[in-house]
Amino acid sequence: MKSVTAWLIIITVSLTTAASARKHHKKRPSAAFDYYLLSLSWAPTYCASHPADRSSECKTGNHTAFVLHGLWPSSNANPMQPVSCKPASPVSASIVRHMLEYFPSKYLVQHEWNKHGTCSGNSPAEYFTKAEQAYKAVQVPAQYRNLDHSEQISVQAIEQDFAQANNGPVEAFRLSCHAGWLVAVEACLDKDLHYQACPKSARECTSREVKLGAPK
């Protein structure tokens, strides 16, 4: 009888501990964030620096200009975004297939969920729906859609062109660059995906001008 009682106690404690662990896991909070940063990668620069890339972004003859890189939860106070906030499961095949209309590779879809989506407080379906909505809402100015030559343009002019095309504040757009070449245009959005002024913590290209086209 004592043996049976002991086993009942052990089983009860184990079940209670497991239930508590599950409850704790479900309530694990995502990192807090203040706004979203929508990143549009400038494909010519990326592809020139990644000659082995065979994704749709760099496919020969595909005159891709700006490509969806990601929608990143970001902080007003910290230039480093919260990343990899919780363990990430594989994104479902149906979501991956759909998002390949916007992302250049399956790898990038999973990577963006692992690194950034897990910090959004959303499910994969909710997060990628927001990424799609944000990307589709951005109007790329006509002069940057099929640029077939190298051109040097001021950072301020590009930001103003994007602001005008999207009826948003100039302060909502930032550029990132490397070695004088444009890397990406980034837009600051509130949690409802409306344009907002970027905080001082948002990174900005330190050059006054950037080159567009493809580095040789």
Side-chain angles (χ1 to χ4, degrees):
M1 188 67 177
K2 290 183 178 180
S3 178
V4 172
T5 302
W7 274 110
L8 287 174
I9 292 173
I10 292 171
I11 292 171
T12 300
V13 171
S14 298
L15 290 174
T16 301
T17 302
S20 176
R22 288 195 298 271
K23 184 177 180 181
H24 177 73
H25 178 74
K26 287 180 180 179
K27 289 188 174 183
R28 181 177 181 178
S30 297
F33 72 99
D34 300 305
Y35 69 100
Y36 284 111
L37 190 72
L38 176 69
S39 179
L40 305 178
S41 174
W42 176 247
T45 300
Y46 171 80
C47 296
S49 60
H50 296 78
D53 191 294
R54 295 294 181 266
S55 68
S56 60
E57 181 177 5
C58 301
K59 186 177 179 181
T60 302
N62 186 1
H63 300 292
T64 304
F66 288 100
V67 175
L68 175 59
H69 187 173
L71 184 67
W72 304 336
S74 301
S75 167
N76 287 334
N78 193 335
M80 301 297 291
Q81 290 106 358
V83 296
S84 305
C85 295
K86 61 182 180 180
S89 301
V91 178
S92 71
S94 61
I95 292 177
V96 172
R97 282 195 302 270
H98 178 72
M99 294 311 298
L100 284 176
E101 296 181 31
Y102 310 103
F103 288 101
S105 70
K106 294 180 181 179
Y107 167 79
L108 186 56
V109 174
Q110 185 66 51
H111 170 80
E112 289 301 301
W113 169 248
N114 293 356
K115 188 172 182 180
H116 300 287
T118 56
C119 298
S120 68
N122 298 138
S123 68
E126 292 167 336
Y127 172 72
F128 285 111
T129 293
K130 286 188 175 183
E132 177 183 348
Q133 290 173 343
Y135 176 71
K136 290 169 72 173
V138 175
Q139 299 297 314
V140 175
Q143 61 268 40
Y144 305 120
R145 294 175 193 165
N146 294 291
L147 193 66
D148 57 1
H149 62 281
S150 294
E151 186 173 338
Q152 190 156 324
I153 307 176
S154 78
V155 168
Q156 185 179 27
I158 296 174
E159 291 173 348
Q160 289 176 337
D161 288 340
F162 269 83
Q164 184 176 2
N166 291 278
N167 194 29
V170 175
E171 296 81 8
F173 295 91
R174 295 288 179 92
L175 267 60
S176 62
C177 61
H178 178 70
W181 289 91
L182 176 66
V183 171
V185 169
E186 296 166 346
C188 295
L189 309 171
D190 64 24
K191 293 182 181 181
D192 293 320
L193 305 182
H194 300 133
Y195 293 113
Q196 67 162 53
C198 294
K200 292 181 180 179
S201 61
R203 66 183 179 182
E204 171 71 293
C205 177
T206 56
S207 301
R208 296 184 63 182
E209 296 183 331
V210 290
K211 295 177 184 178
L212 282 73
K216 303 297 183 183

